Amino acid sequence: MKAAVHDEPVIAQDGAMRKQVAAFDGLNDALAYPLGDQYQNLSQGMTLECVFRYDGDTAATGEKNLCSNKEAGGFSMSLVGDTLSFMLHTGAYRSATATIDSGRWYHAAGVFDGKQIKLY
C-alpha cells in the first residue's frame, strides 16, 4: 500500500536512528494510507506501531496526531501535552495513555485484542 504525500514533509537521514525519517511541520504535512474501508475489521483487533520523536513544547495545548486514521471511526496515536494516547473507535471509544518527554525517540505499540486496549 502506497502512502499519499500531503504538503511537504522532509525525509532525511537521522543520526540517532541511522535511517531515513520524516519530519512534519505540525500543520499540513502528512503521509496518508487509504484505510477507511477497513474500520469495521478493527473491532476484531489491531496493533498500531508508531516510532516518533516529538521536538515541540509538551506544555502547548491542543492535540497533535502522530500516527492516525480517524475519519468517521478509526484509530490514532496522539499527544495532548506530554500524554501519549492510543485511541480506537470501533462503535465504542477506547483509549490507553502514557507520559512522554520532548526530544526523545519512542517506539510505541497500541494493541487491541477485541476486548482490551493497551499501550506499550
Side-chain angles (χ1 to χ4, degrees):
M1 185 178 312
K2 186 172 174 137
V5 177
H6 297 277
D7 213 24
E8 297 180 9
V10 176
I11 299 174
Q13 187 76 14
D14 180 82
M17 295 291 285
R18 291 190 228 152
K19 56 179 65 179
Q20 297 283 311
V21 301
F24 302 95
D25 67 2
L27 301 172
N28 299 312
D29 292 348
L31 298 175
Y33 294 89
L35 300 173
D37 61 348
Q38 297 297 313
Y39 287 158
Q40 68 187 52
N41 296 331
L42 300 179
S43 64
Q44 303 303 309
M46 71 163 291
T47 299
L48 173 65
E49 288 185 77
C50 186
V51 178
F52 69 93
R53 183 183 75 209
Y54 180 70
D55 291 331
D57 179 4
T58 56
T61 60
E63 181 180 54
K64 298 129 192 117
N65 290 312
L66 304 172
C67 299
S68 68
N69 192 320
K70 54 182 191 173
E71 300 300 322
F75 55 86
S76 76
M77 199 147 319
S78 304
L79 278 176
V80 175
D82 65 352
T83 302
L84 176 66
S85 296
F86 171 50
M87 297 175 277
L88 178 65
H89 189 281
T90 59
Y93 196 71
R94 299 167 178 89
S95 67
T97 61
T99 303
I100 66 118
D101 294 317
S102 180
R104 183 174 172 192
W105 280 104
Y106 288 90
H107 184 168
V111 178
F112 176 59
D113 66 6
K115 295 183 177 129
Q116 293 184 332
I117 190 168
K118 294 185 180 180
L119 177 60
Y120 299 94

